[in-house]
C-alpha cells in the first residue's frame, strides 16, 4: 500500500481510495477487503476485486500502481474510526501478507490505517 485518502461521497457515505503497487506478478485473482471500525465494532465493509472488477490482480505487473476505490455507508470520524484493509483468495479465504511504507502499520495479513495521509 502506497497511500490512501478519504472524502465524503454523499450523505452518510465516505469514499476510500487505496493506492497499491504490485511488486511481483500474481498467479491468482485476489479480493481486497475494507473494514470500517468504530469503537471496536465493524460499522461498514466492502470486499471485492480491485477496480470494481475491471482490474483483477492477475493483470498487475511489477511496478504497476493501482487506485482502488471503495464507497462505504458511514461518515468518517478520524478521532474514532479505524480502517482495516487486506487481501484474500476467494476460494480458500486465505489472507495474504501485505506491507506498507509510511501509510500504516504492517500486520500479518492486514493494515490498520488510523489517520489519513494529507
Amino acid at each position: 500500500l502506497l497511500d490512501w485518502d478519504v472524502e465524503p461521497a454523499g450523505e452518510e457515505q465516505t469514499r476510500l481510495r487505496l493506492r497499491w503497487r504490485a511488486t511481483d506478478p500474481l498467479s491468482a485473482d485476489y479480493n481486497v477487503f475494507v473494514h470500517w471500525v468504530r469503537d471496536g465494532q465493524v460499522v461498514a465493509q466492502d470486499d471485492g476485486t480491485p477496480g470494481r472488477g475491471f482490474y483483477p490482480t492477475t493483470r498487475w505487473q511489477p511496478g504497476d500502481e493501482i487506485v482502488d476505490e471503495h464507497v462505504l455507508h458511514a461518515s468518517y470520524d478520524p478521532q474514532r474510526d479505524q480502517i482495516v484493509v487486506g487481501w484474500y483468495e476467494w476460494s480458500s479465504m486465505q489472507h495474504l501478507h501485505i506491507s506498507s511504507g509510511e501509510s500504516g502499520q504492517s500486520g500479518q495479513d492486514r493494515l490498520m490505517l488510523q489517520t489519513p495521509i494529507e
Side-chain angles (χ1 to χ4, degrees):
L1 181 65
L2 296 175
D3 63 18
W4 63 284
D5 63 63
V6 292
E7 68 181 16
E11 192 172 320
E12 294 296 316
Q13 292 186 343
T14 302
R15 177 175 291 108
L16 169 66
R17 282 188 199 89
L18 304 168
R19 190 163 61 97
W20 302 97
R21 178 181 296 138
T23 57
D24 295 301
L26 297 167
S27 60
D29 286 323
Y30 296 100
N31 284 359
V32 64
F33 68 84
V34 176
H35 294 170
W36 203 277
V37 180
R38 179 176 296 150
D39 302 325
Q41 300 294 317
V42 175
V43 295
Q45 70 182 60
D46 189 42
D47 289 34
T49 304
R52 294 286 178 217
F54 292 105
Y55 201 31
T57 56
T58 51
R59 296 184 60 198
W60 295 17
Q61 297 298 312
D64 283 355
E65 291 185 12
I66 297 88
V67 175
D68 185 35
E69 290 190 357
H70 300 265
V71 175
L72 294 116
H73 299 282
S75 293
Y76 183 66
D77 179 349
Q79 302 301 317
R80 296 175 55 203
D81 296 345
Q82 184 176 58
I83 301 168
V84 180
V85 299
W87 292 91
Y88 65 95
E89 195 273 321
W90 175 254
S91 63
S92 68
M93 300 303 282
Q94 178 71 36
H95 284 230
L96 300 180
H97 177 77
I98 57 176
S99 62
S100 174
E102 298 177 20
S103 58
Q105 298 297 315
S106 261
Q108 182 178 18
D109 63 357
R110 66 197 68 213
L111 293 174
M112 296 178 196
L113 311 176
Q114 295 182 10
T115 305
I117 296 171
E118 300 295 331

